């Protein structure tokens, strides 16, 4: 099911409403845009939602953006009142305070700025990020987002629901803005985030959608008040947001259809894996082939894709001629290198931009021609800008003559190095020497190797167990991926974190980053043996 918008659901007939149809929130209406089943589960079975650490990190980032948006708005207008619908006010008390503040501002000709302002309409309720009543009585609605652009998310419909609820409550906004992150902003430091945001005036687009809300709300109330919709999982489960109920829906589908194929045909067409032509896709669909092992040997035209399919059928790794030669030709000393970075929406350090990838850690295993292996690493734990010392130490270690710097997916590391050279011109010469020696292991492996257990992925975490099974990430404590490293680092530099916890975080971060470069060493050794 494709993503819906108000404009393409407005003609759907509303079902009869029962008196017990639950009140909707703006968030649940946004759920309904994505999937009827997501709406129903959010209302009736919220305990089935799976909120993983990565999703929680997104929520935390959004909360931080909201905090800063309130600080900026309070500076902009010289005032601001946060209305908390938690106890003791509650929703009803919060709405009474919101209405009172707006009515007083109108009667007195004052400006009032409200944050997290609740509005309870007859059929649904919303919390508006920022509401401004201007001295002339004009109401502005400002919806704050941590995104950098409007495209790809239902922000217009989101703002429309809020504007509609406000209008039903007697406070229809004359202007509606979506406040987005401005990536051209460079943080000057000192907590001054003026300029972090830019406003998109979406008043016209919202007004166009407002007449459609009644029908959509009625339909959503009917869905929420009925039985659980039987919607099959599909692309809508991750568009525009990952659905927290995916596990529940996948289990439901598996109970009906049986378990999914072990090696689904579409993994051959994934990025960096294989090539399947449109004609081949059509033939696969017509013949009902769902598992790669269903494909006859020789069916696929692309030789490498055929080799991968054959590896899946036989259960044996495919190793192309030339792999050992390509790996053995890499010059010594070999600097097996990996960054860890943090890219906060709200910049932490002066001179950085929103979402800029800032390296805070690296690991490097230095392999010599005689087999000696040295390990070096860097981890900033001070909370200060880590770039200066990070760049200086890596340039000192790897910027000399000879050898190569091995990375896994060069575009990422190279871009970070170029940014460091740009931001730290006094260290640029040494950094440029490192860049000149970069060699990417990923395309070498991708061109010559595939194991069925990779399941269509060439990430180092998918590859490592197929080559060096005794060296994986499962045994690491707490930090097992890049997202976990970012979360651990933010906790580590939080001044409120206790020292015992900080020591544990330092140890876990170092172990994880070291595992990344140790993995590269062992992959090269095993595959070139």
């Amino acid at each position: 099911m494709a993503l819906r918008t108000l404009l393409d659901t407005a003609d759907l007939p509303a079902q009869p409403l029962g008196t017990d149809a639950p009140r909707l929130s703006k968030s649940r209406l946004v759920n309904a845009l994505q999937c009827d089943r997501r709406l129903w589960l959010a209302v009736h079975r919220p305990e089935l939602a799976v909120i993983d650490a990565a999703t929680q990190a997104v929520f935390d980032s959004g909360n931080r953006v909201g905090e800063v948006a309130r600080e900026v708005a309070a500076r902009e207008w010289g005032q601001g009142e946060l209305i908390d619908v938690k106890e003791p006010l509650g929703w009803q008390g919060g709405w009474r305070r919101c209405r009172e503040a707006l009515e007083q501002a109108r009667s007195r000709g004052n400006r009032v700025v409200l944050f997290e302002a609740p509005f309870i309409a007859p059929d649904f309720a919303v919390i508006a990020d920022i509401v401004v009543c201007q001295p002339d009585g004009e109401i502005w609605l400002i919806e704050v987002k941590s995104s950098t652009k409007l495209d790809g998310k239902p922000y217009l419909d989101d703002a429309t629901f809020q504007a509609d609820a406000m209008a039903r409550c007697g406070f229809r906004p004359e202007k509606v803005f979506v406040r987005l992150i401005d990536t051209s902003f460079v943080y000057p430091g000192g907590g001054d985030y003026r300029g972090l945001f830019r406003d998109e005036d979406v008043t016209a687009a919202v007004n166009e959608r407002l007449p459609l809300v009644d029908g959509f709300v009625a339909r959503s109330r009917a869905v929420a008040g009925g039985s659980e919709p039987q919607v099959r999982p599909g692309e809508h489960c991750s568009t525009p947001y990952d659905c927290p109920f995916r596990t529940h829906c996948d289990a439901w589908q598996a109970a009906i259809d049986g378990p999914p194929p072990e090696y689904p045909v579409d993994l051959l067409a994934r990025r960096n894996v294989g090539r399947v032509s449109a004609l081949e896709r059509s033939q696969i669909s017509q013949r009902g082939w769902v598992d790669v092992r269903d494909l006859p040997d020789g069916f696929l035209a692309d030789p490498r894709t055929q080799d991968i399919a054959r590896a899946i059928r036989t259960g044996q790794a495919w190793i192309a001629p030339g792999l050992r030669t390509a790996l053995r030709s890499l010059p010594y000393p070999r600097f097996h290198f990996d960054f860890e970075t943090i890219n906060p929406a709200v910049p932490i350090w002066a001179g950085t931009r929103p979402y800029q990838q800032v390296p805070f850690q690296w690991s490097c295993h230095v392999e010599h021609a005689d087999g000696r292996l040295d390990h070096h690493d860097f981890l900033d734990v001070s909370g200060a800008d880590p770039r200066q010392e990070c760049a200086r130490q890596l340039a000192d270690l790897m910027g000399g003559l000879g050898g190569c710097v091995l990375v896994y997916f060069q575009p990422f590391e190279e871009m970070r190095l170029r940014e460091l050279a740009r931001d730290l011109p006094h260290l640029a010469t040494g950094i440029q020497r490192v860049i000149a020696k970069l060699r990417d292991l990923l395309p070498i492996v991708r061109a010559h190797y595939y194991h069925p257990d990779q399941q269509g992925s060439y990430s180092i975490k998918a590859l490592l167990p197929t080559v060096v099974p005794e060296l994986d990430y499962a045994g690491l404590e707490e930090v097992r991926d890049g997202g976990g490293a970012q979360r651990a680092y933010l906790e580590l530099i939080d001044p409120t974190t206790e020292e015992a916890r900080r020591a544990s975080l330092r140890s876990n971060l170092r172990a994880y980053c070291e595992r990344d470069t140790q993995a590269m060493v062992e992959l090269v050794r095993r595959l070139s043996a």
Side-chain angles (χ1 to χ4, degrees):
M1 183 174 71
L3 172 68
R4 299 202 304 254
T5 69
L6 286 180
L7 293 179
D8 57 28
T9 57
D11 58 345
L12 294 175
Q15 300 176 24
L17 301 181
T19 57
D20 60 342
R23 168 172 281 146
L24 299 174
S25 67
K26 184 265 293 184
S27 296
R28 288 175 177 174
L29 289 173
V30 173
N31 291 161
L33 287 172
Q34 185 164 351
C35 173
D36 288 345
R37 193 172 203 168
R38 179 171 184 177
L39 165 64
W40 192 93
L41 291 168
V43 172
H44 297 282
R45 300 295 307 277
E47 74 280 2
L48 295 177
V50 177
I51 307 298
D52 59 19
T55 302
Q56 185 59 51
V58 173
F59 293 159
D60 293 342
S61 175
N63 290 337
R64 175 60 179 151
V65 169
E67 291 172 2
V68 173
R70 291 194 292 272
E71 294 170 6
V72 170
R75 283 194 179 194
E76 181 179 355
W77 285 298
Q79 59 176 295
E81 178 184 347
L82 176 64
I83 301 178
D84 193 341
V85 297
K86 298 191 291 292
E87 298 298 333
L89 280 180
W91 267 91
Q92 292 293 338
W95 162 226
R96 284 194 296 271
R97 174 59 198 139
C98 175
R99 181 175 55 204
E100 176 186 72
L102 292 174
E103 288 175 347
Q104 287 180 354
R106 278 180 167 175
S107 65
R108 298 173 182 174
N110 297 333
R111 174 184 288 116
V112 67
V113 181
L114 303 178
F115 304 135
E116 303 294 317
F119 293 86
I120 302 179
D123 291 328
F124 67 102
V126 303
I127 293 180
D129 291 332
I130 303 174
V131 173
V132 183
C133 182
Q134 301 289 7
D136 61 1
E138 188 172 86
I139 302 289
W140 291 9
L141 165 64
I142 303 173
E143 174 71 1
V144 178
K145 298 298 182 184
S146 57
S147 183
T148 62
K149 57 184 180 180
L150 286 174
D151 296 344
K153 295 289 193 295
Y155 295 156
L156 293 177
D157 293 336
D158 190 326
T160 301
F161 293 138
Q162 296 191 56
D164 184 85
M166 292 173 64
R168 294 174 190 231
C169 292
F171 300 100
R172 177 169 180 164
E174 280 79 17
K175 291 186 179 179
V176 183
F177 302 93
V178 176
R179 182 159 286 189
L180 302 166
I181 298 288
D182 187 344
T183 54
S184 68
F185 170 77
V186 179
Y187 178 43
D192 184 359
Y193 290 103
R194 289 173 293 179
L196 174 62
F197 300 99
R198 63 181 180 84
D199 289 344
E200 290 272 356
D201 187 337
V202 296
T203 308
V206 166
N207 287 338
E208 179 187 5
R209 286 164 166 75
L210 281 173
L212 308 172
V213 174
D214 278 347
F216 187 79
V217 170
R219 184 186 183 282
S220 298
R221 282 172 55 82
V223 169
S227 57
E228 181 175 354
Q230 306 297 287
V231 181
R232 286 181 171 270
E235 292 183 4
H236 61 278
C237 297
S238 56
T239 305
Y241 307 108
D242 289 331
C243 179
F245 299 105
R246 183 65 188 261
T247 300
H248 166 75
C249 295
D250 283 345
W252 168 81
Q253 181 168 333
I256 295 174
D257 300 339
E262 186 175 0
Y263 302 100
V265 172
D266 62 3
L267 72 79
L268 292 177
R270 292 177 190 171
R271 178 174 169 267
N272 294 334
V273 180
R275 297 176 182 174
V276 181
S277 69
L279 177 60
E280 289 167 343
R281 289 173 188 265
S282 176
Q283 292 174 334
I284 289 170
S285 176
Q286 291 173 6
R287 299 176 188 183
W289 294 331
V290 295
D291 193 295
V292 173
R293 294 169 296 185
D294 297 336
L295 305 181
D297 195 15
F299 169 76
L300 297 165
D302 179 65
R304 180 176 169 278
T305 309
Q306 184 64 261
D307 288 333
I308 291 174
R310 189 177 296 114
I312 293 172
R313 281 196 298 272
T314 63
Q316 301 296 317
W318 162 67
I319 302 176
L323 176 59
R324 292 180 179 86
T325 300
L327 294 175
R328 289 175 178 176
S329 67
L330 296 169
Y332 291 98
R334 297 170 177 172
F335 298 91
H336 301 262
F337 179 74
D338 181 66
F339 270 129
E340 296 303 328
T341 64
I342 188 80
N343 62 331
V346 178
I348 299 173
W349 302 286
T352 61
R353 294 176 171 83
Y355 294 111
Q356 179 177 336
Q357 295 277 4
V358 178
F360 64 85
Q361 180 182 16
W362 54 258
S363 171
C364 183
H365 277 84
V366 185
E367 185 181 15
H368 302 275
D370 61 5
R372 287 183 298 115
L373 192 65
D374 305 321
H375 180 247
H376 305 262
D377 71 350
F378 167 83
L379 172 62
D380 176 88
V381 298
S382 68
D385 188 341
R387 292 175 296 169
Q388 171 90 15
E389 197 60 20
C390 170
R392 185 189 67 77
Q393 290 190 26
L394 71 86
D396 287 348
L397 177 65
M398 297 180 288
L401 299 175
C404 64
V405 178
L406 295 178
V407 295
Y408 201 84
F409 190 59
Q410 181 173 333
F412 182 82
E413 263 76 19
E414 182 172 348
M415 182 60 69
R416 305 291 79 77
L417 289 166
R418 293 192 182 280
E419 289 166 352
L420 288 173
R422 175 199 67 198
D423 296 340
L424 305 168
H426 59 291
L427 297 174
T429 300
I431 297 170
Q432 291 294 347
R433 291 195 188 110
V434 175
I435 294 172
K437 295 197 295 185
L438 287 174
R439 300 290 185 275
D440 195 346
L441 285 176
L442 175 58
I444 297 175
V445 174
R446 191 172 60 227
H448 296 90
Y449 180 88
Y450 186 84
H451 190 284
D453 289 349
Q454 290 175 231
Q455 285 289 333
S457 172
Y458 271 97
S459 75
I460 200 164
K461 294 174 181 62
L463 185 66
L464 188 63
T466 75
V467 182
V468 194
E470 68 275 16
L471 186 67
D472 62 18
Y473 290 77
L476 296 175
E477 294 187 13
E478 189 172 0
V479 181
R480 299 184 181 89
D481 56 33
Q486 291 189 1
R487 295 188 292 275
Y489 177 69
L490 289 175
E491 185 179 356
L492 177 61
I493 64 174
D494 186 334
T496 66
T497 302
E498 296 182 356
E499 184 52 43
R501 175 61 176 160
R502 286 168 56 84
S504 175
L505 291 166
R506 284 194 297 268
S507 176
N508 293 337
L509 278 166
R510 282 201 163 98
Y512 167 69
C513 200
E514 180 178 357
R515 181 61 51 89
D516 276 342
T517 54
Q518 184 183 9
M520 287 193 283
V521 172
E522 294 304 323
L523 284 172
V524 173
R525 286 180 170 179
R526 298 286 177 92
L527 293 176
S528 60

